[in-house]
Amino acid sequence: MISTWSEWKRYPRPGRGENLEAPISPGIYEVRYAGTGALHSFGAVDNVAQALALLSVGGKSWFGRRDAAVQADLEYRTCATSTKADAKAAAERMIGRRETYMSGAA
């Protein structure tokens, strides 16, 4: 079973003490650039919170620290499911709809 999408939330920025708000269960996540709405990443996973926490969202400088200038302004939303199989099926349906839309828009 699939629930509804959460509201869009600002992706936490390193060093500011901000937290992710995501289910610790199977589901789908979508991350986009706030300014343009362009897709950054999308996935169907076993643990949504863990996947978002491990997502690489910033660049690194030559000195190994995150470069604040490269850090993108991102936002994310999540959708919990009962199982990873449900998450994958829902993600495949969404991808199919996007492909259909894009082929009709081209």
Side-chain angles (χ1 to χ4, degrees):
M1 180 174 175
I2 187 168
S3 65
T4 59
W5 283 100
S6 69
E7 295 294 319
W8 286 101
K9 301 171 188 161
R10 179 177 296 278
Y11 201 88
R13 291 166 289 193
R16 295 195 179 207
E18 300 169 339
N19 296 314
L20 282 167
E21 295 177 23
I24 305 172
S25 65
I28 307 166
Y29 69 87
E30 185 174 14
V31 180
R32 70 180 183 184
Y33 293 95
T36 64
L39 184 65
H40 177 278
S41 57
F42 174 83
V45 294
D46 283 323
N47 184 323
V48 179
Q50 182 180 32
L52 286 172
L54 296 174
L55 195 64
S56 176
V57 296
K60 292 212 175 200
S61 73
W62 284 93
F63 302 107
R65 295 188 307 176
R66 291 190 183 272
D67 184 358
V70 178
Q71 182 69 34
D73 187 23
L74 300 174
E75 54 189 10
Y76 69 98
R77 66 180 182 165
T78 63
C79 182
T81 60
S82 301
T83 65
K84 186 175 180 186
D86 288 344
K88 288 177 96 172
E92 288 171 5
R93 283 193 307 273
M94 291 177 67
I95 291 168
R97 281 191 229 135
R98 283 188 179 154
E99 288 173 352
T100 302
Y101 173 79
M102 295 306 285
S103 66

